[in-house]
Amino acid sequence: MTILDIPELALVALVGVSGSGKSTFAARHFAPSQVLASDAFRAMVADDENDQSASADAFGALHHVAGVRLRRGRLTVVDATNLQPHARAGLVQVAREHDVLPVAIVLDVPEALAWERTQARADRDFDRQVLARMQRDLRRSYGQLAREGFRKVHVLRGVEEIDAAEVRLDK
Ligand code: GTP
Ligand code: MG
């Protein structure tokens, strides 16, 4: 079993390609109200969770809500791919503004499995190259997360390790 130690008050960024199991992981380990999902915010601002043109507004709203939650002392989990430095920088900034530790949990599954999973979903429609690009961004992210300000970086590699992980909140 892998224990993921997380401060009781943290901003947790899930990091992983589409189909890596971020939303599944979030639902398993955190209360629904603790999880801010980019999909849900796209739906909130544009009535369509896949409307990429709504991303800037959706993330603006997500960052705002994350900030309000952290100000109120509530653990907050961000369920988005978080594969690009600029996306993560926004989260680190929100965490810093509220004196809260930013923590990353990386879910790294084989690309073929992620592809298989997304293909099986009616609500995901992108081509293989998009996933390959995400995978490249993930590889690059490894060396960057700590430098970007994430105080803890938990990496779960493969389905078994992800399945066996437990979150422990530190007081
Ligand atoms: P995006 O929202 O597209 O970025 O994907 P995601 O990372 O949130 O993945 P999600 O949790 O939605 O999982 C994708 C698919 O894989 C879903 O249909 C899940 O049911 C399946 N899945 C995720 N985690 C597991 C797992 O641990 N075991 C199994 N068997 N299936 C899983
Ligand atoms: Mg998801």
Side-chain angles (χ1 to χ4, degrees):
M1 195 203 297
T2 309
I3 305 278
L4 310 180
D5 280 308
I6 291 173
E8 203 176 23
L9 177 54
L11 179 63
V12 179
L14 301 181
V15 178
V17 304
S18 193
S20 58
K22 300 178 297 297
S23 302
T24 304
F25 184 91
R28 193 177 132 212
H29 296 285
F30 300 97
S33 56
Q34 294 177 317
V35 181
L36 306 183
S38 52
D39 285 348
F41 277 84
R42 274 194 206 90
M44 233 179 273
V45 302
D47 295 323
D48 176 358
E49 66 170 51
N50 284 307
D51 184 349
Q52 299 302 313
S53 78
S55 288
D57 283 330
F59 279 101
L62 187 155
H63 289 163
H64 178 71
V65 175
V68 172
R69 287 184 55 85
L70 298 181
R71 174 167 58 74
R72 299 180 60 85
R74 309 314 301 172
L75 175 78
T76 299
V77 179
V78 178
D79 173 11
T81 54
N82 293 318
L83 291 168
Q84 298 191 333
H86 76 88
R88 296 189 296 258
L91 298 180
V92 170
Q93 191 188 332
V94 173
R96 284 201 179 133
E97 280 166 7
H98 295 86
D99 264 327
V100 164
L101 289 185
V103 172
I105 301 178
V106 181
L107 305 186
D108 191 345
V109 303
E111 189 178 329
L113 175 64
W115 178 242
E116 200 178 290
R117 286 174 173 179
T118 47
Q119 285 233 291
R121 293 181 60 177
D123 57 345
R124 286 291 179 274
D125 177 29
F126 51 78
D127 59 34
R128 192 75 171 79
Q129 281 137 311
V130 173
L131 184 66
R133 193 176 62 223
M134 288 186 194
Q135 195 72 32
R136 277 199 302 278
D137 289 339
L138 175 69
R139 296 266 86 77
R140 248 178 237 140
S141 299
Y142 276 117
Q144 300 174 330
L145 286 161
R147 210 184 312 154
E148 289 169 356
F150 287 94
R151 295 291 294 279
K152 278 190 185 171
V153 178
H154 294 292
V155 178
L156 298 172
R157 281 200 177 85
V159 170
E160 280 177 24
E161 214 171 294
I162 293 169
D163 273 352
E166 290 300 336
V167 169
R168 183 165 66 196
L169 298 182
D170 300 325
K171 300 233 186 277

